[in-house]
Amino acid sequence: MKSLLGNLRRTIQENHLIADGDRVAVGLSGGKDSMVLLYALKKFQRFSPIRYELAAATIDLGFDNFDMTATRAFCDMLEVPLLVETT
């Protein structure tokens, strides 16, 4: 995780991806890529000199068996608000 956070910090700083006061939303699919990105951005937020808001968003396409229980619990654990937009 230390290596991942170091790469994340370097990429954000070198490319000016996040600035003070930004609001960052992660499209959360429930897959490992988006979950790790949200987790890493939350960890980075804790030690970064850049102050930004972090949120997660997902789209409920109305499929049967769409269960957001684990995703909601993950966001709650990270103290990141989750927006679920239903189509």
Side-chain angles (χ1 to χ4, degrees), residues 60-77:
D60 177 355
L61 299 173
F63 296 125
D64 292 337
N65 300 323
F66 182 70
D67 185 9
M68 292 294 299
T69 305
T71 305
R72 284 186 193 282
F74 183 70
C75 288
D76 288 345
M77 178 197 68

Side-chain angles (χ1 to χ4, degrees), residues 12-81:
I12 289 170
Q13 290 177 341
E14 288 177 0
N15 297 291
H16 310 285
L17 298 177
I18 302 174
D20 277 330
D22 279 356
R23 298 171 68 195
V24 178
V26 175
L28 202 59
S29 67
K32 61 186 170 206
D33 293 340
S34 61
M35 301 289 264
V36 167
L37 177 60
L38 182 65
Y39 183 79
L41 284 170
K42 184 61 178 184
K43 291 291 186 188
F44 177 70
Q45 186 182 45
R46 291 189 175 139
F47 68 81
S48 172
I50 304 167
R51 296 293 161 226
Y52 61 93
E53 294 179 42
L54 185 60
T58 193
I59 298 174
D60 177 355
L61 299 173
F63 296 125
D64 292 337
N65 300 323
F66 182 70
D67 185 9
M68 292 294 299
T69 305
T71 305
R72 284 186 193 282
F74 183 70
C75 288
D76 288 345
M77 178 197 68
L78 295 178
E79 298 178 349
V80 171

